[in-house]
């Protein structure tokens, strides 16, 4: 039997105690793994890894005290050796891709089978990017907006788009750029048309997905 020092250490971060309990039971008899700890909040885990060894963490995106996506990025920045496997109910392709951009070693939906979970843990620990079957299918199926590509924007439109994303009003943008409010409104309408959306919230969402802001 492997000694504790020879096992890979794993932690679970999820805001639902019943999910944690199920995962711990599932992983309890895995000889190559040792559960280092379980946490229902991101801050508690962040404190824990400052003084404890963790090789891989199963991380939920929805946490009560912070955004799990941001926590993933911080973990990889400060502790690049830790593998982060996102375990979430969020199945949007853009969120999955953002998790990978933030350094995640893989992404699983919570309806994944026990066999998939164990396989993904092993893949991540061996340096591979790991996905559950359903996530793999989602990634392979680009959205309509991605198929359309990024709209061609002028330098001024990019500038105004950035200011809109920061929450500036038409009047504020006009004053900052020394333009008339009417000109800003024209640019705003053009941006909505180019992105084929009906409101600013949808505009900003697409701009974020395309990495424009």
């Amino acid at each position: 039997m492997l000694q504790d020092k020879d096992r890979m250490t794993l932690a679970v971060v999820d805001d639902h105690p019943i999910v944690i309990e199920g995962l711990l039971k599932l992983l309890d008899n895995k000889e190559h793994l040792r559960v280092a700890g379980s946490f229902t909040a991101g801050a508690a885990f962040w404190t824990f890894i400052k003084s404890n060894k963790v090789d891989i963490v199963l991380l939920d995106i929805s946490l009560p005290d912070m955004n799990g996506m941001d926590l993933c990025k911080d973990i990889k920045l400060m502790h690049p050796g830790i593998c982060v496997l996102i375990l979430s109910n969020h199945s949007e392709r853009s969120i999955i891709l953002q998790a990978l951009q933030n350094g995640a070693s893989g992404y699983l939906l919570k309806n994944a089978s026990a066999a998939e979970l164990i396989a993904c843990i092993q893949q991540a620990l061996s340096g591979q990017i790991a996905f559950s079957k359903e996530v793999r299918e989602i990634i392979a199926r680009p959205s309509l907006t991605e198929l359309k590509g990024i709209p061609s924007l002028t330098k001024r439109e990019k500038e105004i788009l950035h200011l809109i994303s920061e929450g500036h009003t038409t009047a504020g943008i006009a004053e900052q750029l020394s333009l008339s409010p009417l000109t800003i409104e024209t640019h705003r309408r053009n941006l909505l048309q180019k992105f084929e959306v009906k409101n600013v919230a949808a505009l900003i969402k697409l701009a974020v997905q395309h990495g424009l802001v």
Side-chain angles (χ1 to χ4, degrees), residues 6 9 16 24 31 43 52 57 65 67 70 93 97 99 125 129 142 156 162 178 192:
D6 299 320
T9 54
H16 291 98
L24 295 184
E31 191 176 87
N52 293 273
V57 55
D65 58 341
N67 186 311
D70 293 335
R93 190 172 189 271
L97 295 178
L125 287 172
I129 301 297
R156 180 65 81 188
H162 182 73
S178 299
L192 293 176

Side-chain angles (χ1 to χ4, degrees), residues 192-209:
L192 293 176
Q193 289 174 359
K194 284 189 174 183
F195 280 90
E196 299 181 21
V197 293
K198 295 181 179 180
N199 55 57
V200 170
L203 172 66
I204 294 173
K205 180 180 179 181
L206 278 182
V208 169
Q209 288 178 2

Side-chain angles (χ1 to χ4, degrees), residues 91-127:
S91 59
E92 296 88 343
R93 190 172 189 271
S94 59
I95 291 179
I96 296 169
L97 295 178
Q98 186 185 345
L100 298 179
Q101 290 173 353
N102 285 8
S105 296
Y107 199 108
L108 300 91
L109 297 182
K110 287 186 176 179
N111 62 2
S113 67
E116 282 183 299
L117 174 61
I118 298 302
C120 285
I121 290 174
Q122 292 173 338
Q123 289 168 17
L125 287 172
S126 66

Side-chain angles (χ1 to χ4, degrees), residues 46-63:
W46 185 251
T47 300
F48 180 80
I49 58 175
K50 290 179 180 178
S51 55
N52 293 273
K53 176 179 178 288
V54 173
D55 294 303
I56 186 166
V57 55
L58 300 179
L59 176 64
D60 191 6
I61 289 176
S62 302
L63 298 173

